[in-house]
């Protein structure tokens, strides 16, 4: 698996690091700590994470040259999708539960999918729609027609641009491209910044503060993704999994700019930090195929619905968001094998979480703050919650059903609009002999925690919050029985 880590150099860290620290300090959009408490998500960050699923769309010159990283020398004449159908991408995404798509407007080879004024190396020089095509326009229109968020990826590493490696001249070029994308295609919901850089272009630093200012000015509603946020962070690996301990809060000093290599990414980016000063939840990106781009030779290696459900459990189910790449074919459509897997995934996910077997339970708590009775965990509203009385950081809920139920999955949700606090929980059930046995236990919860385990049958259960950094606020508890395969 190719990861951006392979590309990075640390030689130019100082300039970028200083710039980033300034920006992160100056930019506060609702994710600063409230007095004495944990950092809180902004409305945009909250909506972004609650959406759970976004689809990455890697489609460009590489699709036609059978490459993953083009060198920027392929002729524009090669880019000629015969039946590009962005509406098919969007219809498929929406029908299978995705809420946004992110398109590679420019990958590392520098080829632009929109008719940019900055370079002739674009769709304008290709045979696609006689040189009058604009894939970014088709993509954003299709997203909107289906009610999906539209996001864009613009690679900073550009293997075609002659100015790449020069420093400021290239940065101006990049900003001009970003400006076109931010100005001409309506509201964008996410801009995805890869920290990739040529290992040999040691003079090329990227001006992240300027890049982020440009997005803020032209697309104030867009969520900005990168290793270093500022709004949402990379999870630190590209296998679609967040660690079981995963905080939405983060210490911005640990990862100073996108592509920063001086830390163990999987640990630092993956886990976040319970004492971090900013809210910066993790996004888990992974491809449905071995490569990011479509290759005929990988048609037999498309992940199945079961594989995708496992990725959902290890990303969304670990307090992260899943960004699943589904690369269109040379024709410009999502391959039918991939579409079948997406449908199977949707079916498995929906049937797993269809019936909360705790729904009819009576629930009692160790204590409850006024207005936050324990029944709130069963009302299906992520903003109402059970809270312990008088700032106690431990407590328990006891559930009793009228008859035993069988289950193999636990869903927990913290009221993260108020921050993330819980760091240890345990679910127990009472055996017919009256003993209490552990079903499952874990550390963080956050937006959504999903645990799977061998089936258990029980009528009485208790959920203990064993450790929290502040008063625990639990929004939802569910028990489910997955479809047997
Ligand atoms: C990486 C790139 O090098 C890959 O080609 C892909 O675009 C992935 C999402 O990011 O850094």
């Amino acid at each position: 698996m190719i990861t951006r880590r392979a590309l990075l150099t640390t030689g130019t860290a100082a300039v970028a690091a200083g710039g980033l620290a300034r920006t992160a300090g100056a930019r506060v959009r609702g994710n600063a700590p409230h007095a004495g408490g944990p950092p809180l998500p902004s409305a945009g960050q909250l909506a972004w994470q609650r959406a759970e699923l976004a689809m990455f769309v890697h489609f460009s010159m590489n699709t036609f040259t059978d490459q993953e990283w083009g060198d920027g020398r392929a002729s524009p004449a090669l880019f000629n999708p015969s039946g590009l159908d962005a509406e098919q991408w969007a219809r498929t995404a929406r029908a299978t539960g995705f809420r946004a798509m992110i398109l590679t407007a420019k990958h590392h080879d520098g080829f632009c999918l929109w008719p940019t004024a900055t370079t002739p190396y674009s769709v304008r020089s290709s045979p696609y729609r006689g040189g009058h095509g604009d894939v970014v326009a088709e993509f954003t229109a299709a997203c909107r027609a289906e009610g999906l968020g539209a996001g864009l990826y613009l690679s900073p590493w550009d293997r075609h641009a002659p100015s790449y490696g020069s420093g400021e001249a290239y940065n101006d070029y990049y900003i001009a491209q970003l400006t076109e994308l931010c100005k001409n295609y309506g509201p964008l919901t996410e801009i995805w910044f890869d920290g990739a850089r040529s290992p040999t272009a040691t003079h090329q630093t990227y001006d992240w503060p300027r890049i982020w200012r440009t997005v803020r000015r032209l697309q104030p509603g867009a969520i900005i993704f990168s290793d270093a946020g500022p709004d949402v962070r990379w999870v630190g690996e590209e296998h679609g999994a967040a660690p079981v301990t995963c905080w939405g809060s983060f210490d911005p000093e640990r990862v100073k700019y996108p592509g920063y290599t001086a830390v163990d990414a999987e640990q630092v980016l993956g886990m976040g930090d319970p004492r971090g000063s900013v809210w910066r939840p993790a996004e888990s990106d992974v491809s449905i195929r071995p490569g990011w781009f479509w290759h005929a030779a990988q048609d037999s290696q498309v992940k199945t619905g079961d594989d995708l459900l496992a990725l959902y459990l290890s990303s969304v189910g670990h307090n992260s968001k899943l960004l699943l790449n589904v690369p269109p074919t040379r024709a410009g459509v999502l391959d039918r094998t991939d579409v079948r897997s997406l449908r199977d995934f949707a079916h498995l996910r929906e049937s797993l979480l269809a019936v909360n077997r705790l729904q009819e339970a009576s629930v009692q708590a160790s204590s409850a703050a006024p207005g936050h009775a324990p029944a709130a965990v069963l009302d299906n509203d992520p903003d109402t919650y059970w809270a312990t009385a008088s700032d106690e950081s431990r407590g328990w809920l006891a559930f009793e059903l009228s008859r035993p139920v069988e289950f193999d999955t636990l869903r927990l949700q913290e009221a993260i609009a108020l921050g993330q606090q819980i760091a240890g929980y345990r679910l127990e059930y009472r055996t017919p002999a009256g003993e209490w046995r552990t079903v499952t236990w874990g550390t963080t919860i956050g937006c959504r925690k999903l645990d799977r385990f061998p089936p258990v049958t029980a009528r009485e259960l208790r959920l203990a919050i064993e450790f929290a950094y502040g008063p625990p606020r639990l929004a939802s508890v569910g028990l489910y029985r997955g479809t047997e395969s």
Side-chain angles (χ1 to χ4, degrees), residues 356 376-382 384-386 411-415 445 463 473-478 480:
N356 182 355
V377 301
L378 296 176
D379 71 2
N380 294 317
D381 179 343
T384 61
Y385 56 90
W386 161 63
R411 175 180 56 80
L412 297 173
Q413 290 176 216
E414 224 171 319
I445 296 176
L463 178 74
R473 299 182 185 100
L474 203 58
S476 192
V477 181
Y480 304 89

Coordinates of all heavy atoms in Angstrom, one line a residue, residues 356 376-382 384-386 411-415 445 463 473-478 480:
N356 N -32.8 -1.9 18.1 CA -32.1 -1.8 19.4 C -32.8 -2.7 20.4 O -33.9 -2.5 20.8 CB -32.1 -0.4 19.8 CG -31.3 -0.2 21.2 OD1 -30.9 -1.2 21.7 ND2 -31.2 1.0 21.6
A376 N -32.7 9.0 28.8 CA -32.2 9.8 27.6 C -31.4 8.9 26.7 O -31.3 9.1 25.5 CB -31.5 11.0 28.0
V377 N -30.7 7.9 27.3 CA -29.8 7.0 26.5 C -30.6 6.1 25.5 O -30.1 5.5 24.6 CB -28.8 6.2 27.3 CG1 -28.0 7.1 28.2 CG2 -29.5 5.1 28.1
L378 N -31.9 6.1 25.7 CA -32.8 5.2 24.8 C -33.7 6.0 23.9 O -34.6 5.5 23.3 CB -33.6 4.2 25.6 CG -32.7 3.2 26.4 CD1 -33.6 2.3 27.3 CD2 -31.9 2.3 25.5
D379 N -33.5 7.4 23.9 CA -34.5 8.2 23.1 C -34.1 8.5 21.7 O -34.8 9.3 21.0 CB -34.9 9.5 23.9 CG -33.7 10.5 23.9 OD1 -32.6 10.2 23.3 OD2 -33.8 11.5 24.5
N380 N -33.0 8.0 21.3 CA -32.5 8.1 19.9 C -32.2 9.6 19.5 O -32.2 9.9 18.3 CB -33.6 7.6 18.9 CG -33.7 6.1 19.0 OD1 -32.7 5.4 19.1 ND2 -34.9 5.6 19.0
D381 N -31.9 10.4 20.5 CA -31.6 11.8 20.2 C -30.1 12.0 20.7 O -29.8 11.9 21.9 CB -32.5 12.7 21.0 CG -32.2 14.2 20.7 OD1 -31.1 14.5 20.3 OD2 -33.1 15.1 21.0
P382 N -29.2 12.2 19.7 CA -27.8 12.3 20.2 C -27.5 13.6 21.0 O -26.4 13.7 21.6 CB -27.0 12.4 18.8 CG -28.0 12.9 17.8 CD -29.4 12.5 18.3
T384 N -29.6 14.6 23.6 CA -30.1 14.5 25.0 C -29.2 13.4 25.6 O -28.8 12.5 25.0 CB -31.6 14.1 25.1 OG1 -31.7 12.8 24.4 CG2 -32.5 15.1 24.4
Y385 N -29.0 13.5 26.9 CA -28.0 12.6 27.5 C -28.3 12.4 29.0 O -28.9 13.2 29.7 CB -26.6 13.1 27.3 CG -26.4 14.5 27.9 CD1 -25.9 14.7 29.2 CD2 -26.6 15.6 27.1 CE1 -25.8 16.0 29.7 CE2 -26.4 16.9 27.5 CZ -26.0 17.1 28.8 OH -25.8 18.3 29.4
W386 N -27.8 11.2 29.5 CA -27.7 11.0 30.9 C -26.4 11.5 31.4 O -25.3 11.4 30.8 CB -27.7 9.5 31.2 CG -27.3 9.1 32.6 CD1 -27.8 9.5 33.8 CD2 -26.1 8.4 32.9 NE1 -27.1 9.0 34.8 CE2 -26.0 8.3 34.3 CE3 -25.1 7.7 32.2 CZ2 -25.0 7.6 35.0 CZ3 -24.1 7.0 32.8 CH2 -24.0 7.0 34.2
R411 N -23.5 -0.5 20.9 CA -23.3 0.9 20.4 C -23.4 1.9 21.5 O -24.4 1.8 22.3 CB -24.4 1.2 19.3 CG -24.3 2.7 18.8 CD -25.3 3.0 17.8 NE -26.7 2.7 18.2 CZ -27.3 3.6 19.0 NH1 -26.8 4.7 19.4 NH2 -28.6 3.3 19.5
L412 N -22.4 2.7 21.7 CA -22.4 3.8 22.7 C -22.1 5.1 22.0 O -21.4 5.2 21.0 CB -21.3 3.5 23.7 CG -21.4 2.2 24.6 CD1 -20.1 2.0 25.4 CD2 -22.6 2.3 25.5
Q413 N -22.8 6.1 22.5 CA -22.5 7.5 22.0 C -22.4 8.5 23.1 O -23.3 8.5 24.0 CB -23.6 7.9 21.0 CG -23.6 7.1 19.7 CD -24.7 7.4 18.7 OE1 -25.2 6.6 18.1 NE2 -25.1 8.7 18.7
E414 N -21.4 9.3 23.1 CA -21.2 10.3 24.1 C -21.9 11.6 23.6 O -22.0 11.7 22.3 CB -19.7 10.5 24.3 CG -19.3 10.7 25.7 CD -17.8 10.7 25.9 OE1 -17.1 9.9 25.2 OE2 -17.3 11.5 26.7
A415 N -22.3 12.5 24.4 CA -22.9 13.7 24.0 C -21.7 14.7 23.6 O -21.4 15.6 24.3 CB -23.8 14.3 25.1
I445 N -15.2 6.5 24.0 CA -16.5 6.3 23.3 C -16.6 7.4 22.2 O -16.5 7.1 21.0 CB -17.7 6.4 24.3 CG1 -17.6 5.3 25.3 CG2 -19.0 6.4 23.5 CD1 -18.6 5.3 26.4
L463 N -24.1 -1.1 32.7 CA -23.0 -0.4 32.0 C -22.3 0.5 33.0 O -22.9 1.4 33.5 CB -23.5 0.4 30.8 CG -22.5 1.2 30.0 CD1 -21.7 0.3 29.1 CD2 -23.2 2.3 29.2
R473 N -21.2 12.1 30.0 CA -22.5 12.4 29.5 C -22.8 11.5 28.3 O -22.1 11.6 27.3 CB -22.5 13.9 28.9 CG -22.2 14.9 30.0 CD -22.3 16.3 29.4 NE -21.9 17.3 30.3 CZ -20.7 17.9 30.4 NH1 -19.7 17.5 29.5 NH2 -20.4 18.8 31.3
L474 N -23.7 10.5 28.6 CA -23.9 9.5 27.6 C -25.2 9.7 26.9 O -26.3 9.8 27.5 CB -23.9 8.1 28.4 CG -23.6 6.9 27.6 CD1 -22.3 6.9 27.0 CD2 -23.7 5.7 28.5
A475 N -25.1 9.8 25.6 CA -26.3 10.1 24.8 C -27.1 8.9 24.3 O -28.3 9.0 24.2 CB -25.9 10.9 23.5
S476 N -26.4 7.8 24.1 CA -27.1 6.7 23.5 C -26.5 5.3 23.8 O -25.2 5.2 23.8 CB -27.2 6.9 22.0 OG -28.1 6.0 21.4
V477 N -27.3 4.3 24.1 CA -26.8 3.0 24.3 C -27.7 2.0 23.4 O -28.9 2.1 23.5 CB -26.9 2.5 25.8 CG1 -26.4 1.1 26.0 CG2 -26.2 3.5 26.7
G478 N -27.1 1.1 22.7 CA -27.9 0.2 21.9 C -27.2 -1.2 21.9 O -26.0 -1.3 22.0
Y480 N -27.5 -4.9 19.7 CA -27.9 -5.4 18.4 C -27.5 -6.9 18.2 O -26.5 -7.3 18.7 CB -27.4 -4.6 17.2 CG -27.8 -3.1 17.4 CD1 -26.9 -2.3 18.1 CD2 -29.0 -2.6 17.0 CE1 -27.2 -1.0 18.4 CE2 -29.3 -1.3 17.2 CZ -28.5 -0.5 17.9 OH -28.8 0.8 18.1

